[in-house]
Amino acid sequence: DQQVKQNSPSLSVQEGRISILNCDYTNSMFDYFLWYKKYPAEGPTFLISISSIKDKNEDGRFTVFLNKSAKHLSLHIVPSQPGDSAVYFCAAGWGNTPLVFGKGTRLSVIA
Amino acid sequence: DVKVTQSSRYLVKRTGEKVFLECVQDMDHENMFWYRQDPGLGLRLIYFSYDVKMKEKGDIPEGYSVSREKKERFSLILESASTNQTSMYLCASFEGTDTQYFGPGTRLTVL
């Protein structure tokens, strides 16, 4: 039973446009959510997070939106750059329990 | 800057060999994790540890064991490596609801 789902395995976007990566979750206990970016042959690096008490968090070109009633979050990247091409993992957690990760979405930004 | 290091970036072993993957973190985190990442399957939790000498099974512990003798070090052991354990292994550490930090990963190939 997947508690965190990223339904799009891949996404292609033109350079300069907006990239929107989506994530759905099922566990109402989750109270914080994170996005990680992963390049091939490297470990995931933290990108941005959001607490369940917020509905938006922004950091430069990256914005995460949380819709608790829909149990949905999304990552917006504006404008997209070729260096953003990577696999993006959505993760959720609560308390001290291990993070639960989605299966990832491969983003390709085309120049 | 948090640092999570892993003993090897690339490893090639033969079927039946005992394999040790070492992970060290320098942030005095109590929580440490071992994941494997496979294409299309995302990050799957193998084992985790909340404290020295403590260990908990994750989602896919079969064929693996762990050791946490010191707070900063968390070792993953493949008692008898098999070809289906060829994967990217990722170690992570975190404290409370802080960001989970990953090491650079070990790409293990079992022949």
Side-chain angles (χ1 to χ4, degrees):
Chain A
D1 180 32
Q2 261 188 279
Q3 297 186 66
V4 177
K5 292 180 187 178
Q6 293 177 256
N7 291 319
S8 298
S10 62
L11 176 68
S12 282
V13 170
Q14 278 211 299
E15 182 178 5
R17 302 276 194 162
I18 183 171
S19 295
I20 300 176
L21 295 95
N22 293 304
C23 180
D24 297 297
Y25 63 95
T26 56
N27 190 341
S28 302
M29 297 293 291
F30 290 141
D31 59 11
Y32 64 102
F33 306 87
L34 307 92
W35 284 94
Y36 284 84
K37 176 179 177 179
K38 188 181 182 301
Y39 293 118
E42 291 183 15
T45 53
F46 169 73
L47 201 55
I48 192 168
S49 65
I50 188 166
S51 158
S52 61
I53 62 172
K54 292 187 167 185
D55 55 18
K56 178 182 173 182
N57 189 24
E58 201 169 343
D59 183 2
R61 296 186 297 114
F62 303 93
T63 304
V64 56
F65 294 92
L66 175 62
N67 182 335
K68 278 188 70 178
S69 59
K71 292 192 175 71
H72 176 85
L73 65 152
S74 60
L75 174 68
H76 292 210
I77 306 173
V78 183
S80 302
Q81 298 173 354
D84 295 329
S85 297
V87 177
Y88 289 79
F89 290 100
C90 169
W94 62 278
N96 211 29
T97 60
L99 290 177
V100 179
F101 287 84
K103 291 188 176 181
T105 296
R106 181 177 300 281
L107 173 66
S108 300
V109 179
I110 304 154
Chain B
D1 225 15
V2 176
K3 257 227 170 103
V4 180
T5 56
Q6 294 183 230
S7 50
S8 306
R9 292 298 303 273
Y10 299 94
L11 213 50
V12 179
K13 295 289 181 182
R14 297 211 175 272
T15 302
E17 278 194 77
K18 191 168 186 175
V19 182
F20 291 88
L21 302 181
E22 303 281 334
C23 174
V24 177
Q25 51 95 2
D26 66 358
M27 278 302 291
D28 203 35
H29 285 167
E30 291 187 347
N31 308 307
M32 296 187 74
F33 307 84
W34 274 105
Y35 297 87
R36 62 179 281 179
Q37 188 213 352
D38 302 287
L41 297 177
L43 293 166
R44 293 183 292 167
L45 183 64
I46 305 171
Y47 265 98
F48 60 102
S49 169
Y50 285 141
D51 204 349
V52 175
K53 305 251 187 227
M54 291 183 67
K55 58 185 179 185
E56 298 279 347
K57 290 180 180 179
D59 299 320
I60 51 162
E62 297 78 20
Y64 304 94
S65 62
V66 289
S67 171
R68 185 110 182 256
E69 296 296 319
K70 292 185 177 181
K71 193 174 187 179
E72 67 271 17
R73 190 179 296 270
F74 192 34
S75 304
L76 180 69
I77 303 152
L78 287 67
E79 293 289 342
S80 177
S82 63
T83 54
N84 63 13
Q85 291 178 311
T86 291
S87 186
M88 171 72 125
Y89 289 88
L90 294 158
C91 175
S93 76
F94 93 112
E95 195 77 12
T97 56
D98 198 358
T99 308
Q100 187 164 298
Y101 297 92
F102 284 87
T106 296
R107 168 78 58 190
L108 172 68
T109 302
V110 182
L111 302 174

